[in-house]
Amino acid sequence: MARIGVVTFPGTLDDRDAARAVRLAGAESVNLFHADSSLQDVDAVVLPGGFSYGDYLRAGAISRFSPIMERVVDAANGGMPVLGICNGFQVLTEVHLLPGSMIKNDHLHFVCRDQVLRVENNDTAWTNAYEAGEEITIPLKNQDGQYVADEHTLDEPRGRGPRRVPLRGREPQRLAPRHRGRDQRARQRGGPHASPRARRRGGLRPRLA
């Protein structure tokens, strides 16, 4: 059975979720902490999401100096699979295991939605249980979710094809303007898409059955 280490920093929120996902995938979850000096002979490492060290300075900036990250960097350079999720991805850019950086979303708002991903390459440690071309849905939530890098870095994955991009996102579906206007008017007058307050104002009551 594979042993997958899940790293917890001060401010990490999603380490329990990551550990549960590891177990559901059939592996053993191993708790690793920011101050540890050993990876406990794990076969791979997950850096989960959250707000490591409160995101002071910038997201992931302080975590790069944690003792465990020196071991993670050495292991990754030696070929060990490392997965960074949300804040974990930001930490990986700070230790330069990944190029580029993450900044705030261009609209400066927190994003929380389901995101559809297409499996472009299923020949990786993290995607080999999927079929090539399969579509999966994951929860997406971030505020610093805008990836920035120089043009050479951005062009490199595209130039090498899908093997450098194992998962590709699909834009979320949005209502056409006329539908948005129609639904907005329906909400205002207590129609079928109305909010509970508008339903009460329009004389409608939610169905309890």
Side-chain angles (χ1 to χ4, degrees), residues 162-174:
R163 299 195 66 81
R164 289 295 300 271
V165 184
L167 301 167
R168 194 179 300 276
R170 190 176 75 191
E171 284 296 318
Q173 293 183 347
R174 294 180 173 85

Side-chain angles (χ1 to χ4, degrees), residues 79-93:
M80 177 182 288
V82 177
L83 177 65
I85 305 171
C86 195
N87 189 247
F89 185 98
Q90 296 160 344
V91 174
L92 293 181
T93 64

Side-chain angles (χ1 to χ4, degrees), residues 39 43 70-82 97:
L39 294 181
D43 302 298
E70 182 177 350
R71 303 293 180 265
V72 171
V73 171
D74 290 342
N77 287 331
M80 177 182 288
V82 177
L97 281 175

Side-chain angles (χ1 to χ4, degrees), residues 83-144:
L83 177 65
I85 305 171
C86 195
N87 189 247
F89 185 98
Q90 296 160 344
V91 174
L92 293 181
T93 64
E94 290 291 336
V95 296
H96 306 300
L97 281 175
L98 295 175
S101 185
M102 304 296 292
I103 62 174
K104 292 190 182 301
N105 297 327
D106 57 0
H107 45 66
L108 301 181
H109 293 291
F110 187 86
V111 172
C112 183
R113 67 168 186 258
D114 287 341
Q115 176 65 54
V116 177
L117 298 176
R118 175 185 170 87
V119 180
E120 299 285 347
N121 175 16
N122 63 344
D123 188 23
T124 77
W126 307 108
T127 61
N128 58 35
Y130 296 107
E131 297 291 334
E134 182 177 352
E135 288 193 342
I136 62 175
T137 301
I138 66 167
L140 183 152
K141 54 186 180 70
N142 62 63
Q143 179 169 287
D144 296 68

